[in-house]
Amino acid sequence: EVLDGQLVGSIPAFADRLFLWDSGSASYINLYKNFGGVWVDESNNPATNELYLGRGFWVQNKQITNQTVVMVGDVEDSGAVTNILAPGFHIIAYPYSAPVALNSSGLTNGNASIPAFADRLFVFNPVTSAYENYYLHLSRVWFDDLNQPATLVLEPQIGFWYQNKAAGDFVWVENK
């Protein structure tokens, strides 16, 4: 419903696609829009997956021209949002409609350590076409790969990768 009437349906090779990260299998769920305008999986079964607040996903435009995608839905208004991040990679997004500095977010409660063992954050920079990498320092402050405190601001609706390097779940509680 979020994407109703948007993007282009076609045969799999030419259809616009959605890629949803499944942290349980550590792989993408690959959906495409068929000729009938229905989102389906690779076996052409109607998709039952949900796009929900805080879940990041990719849109692949397979057309030769730009498309504008308008996201509609409820704006998160609760006082706190909780996500459980199992060990491994997760594509997530900041849940509120206003930006927040990374070091002011609830993500500072993850697994802090030296760079090789700390939780990591990967944010795509469209200007450089590269990922910026951050790690959670022992001081519970996010640092960039130059070992400087991060100045990153998490923008609403922008997905990013979070790598939980701990042996157990990280419960991310983000307070408004």
Side-chain angles (χ1 to χ4, degrees):
E1 295 174 14
V2 172
L3 297 172
D4 279 355
Q6 300 184 81
L7 302 170
V8 176
S10 185
I11 61 173
F14 301 109
D16 291 335
R17 293 182 174 267
L18 285 180
F19 296 93
L20 310 174
W21 182 251
D22 179 10
S23 58
S25 66
S27 64
Y28 282 104
I29 298 168
N30 185 347
L31 306 174
Y32 71 94
K33 192 171 186 178
N34 68 14
F35 269 118
V38 176
W39 289 97
V40 296
D41 63 20
E42 290 298 311
S43 299
N44 207 29
N45 298 313
T48 58
N49 313 83
E50 291 186 28
L51 302 178
Y52 51 83
L53 192 64
R55 182 179 196 180
F57 60 92
W58 301 107
V59 175
Q60 183 182 25
N61 176 11
K62 298 279 268 192
Q63 312 315 305
I64 59 173
T65 59
N66 291 338
Q67 297 184 73
T68 299
V69 177
V70 178
M71 304 299 294
V72 296
D74 296 330
V75 174
E76 182 59 54
D77 195 32
S78 63
V81 174
T82 301
N83 288 289
I84 299 172
L85 306 178
F89 284 95
H90 301 269
I91 185 167
I92 58 176
Y94 183 69
Y96 294 112
S97 59
V100 67
L102 174 59
N103 279 316
S104 295
S105 75
L107 292 172
T108 57
N109 292 320
N111 183 50
S113 186
I114 61 174
F117 301 107
D119 284 2
R120 307 279 305 184
L121 198 84
F122 306 92
V123 180
F124 187 75
N125 181 331
V127 174
T128 62
S129 294
Y131 279 93
E132 296 174 352
N133 303 300
Y134 302 89
Y135 72 94
L136 188 54
H137 188 268
L138 287 166
S139 63
R140 298 223 163 269
V141 172
W142 285 94
F143 277 60
D144 62 25
D145 278 345
L146 300 175
N147 291 316
Q148 299 297 314
T151 59
L152 176 68
V153 173
L154 299 175
E155 298 290 341
Q157 295 87 39
I158 303 297
F160 54 90
W161 287 101
Y162 188 96
Q163 183 183 18
N164 175 2
K165 287 197 171 184
D169 292 348
F170 164 48
V171 180
W172 172 28
V173 178
E174 192 61 46
N175 293 304
K176 192 170 185 181

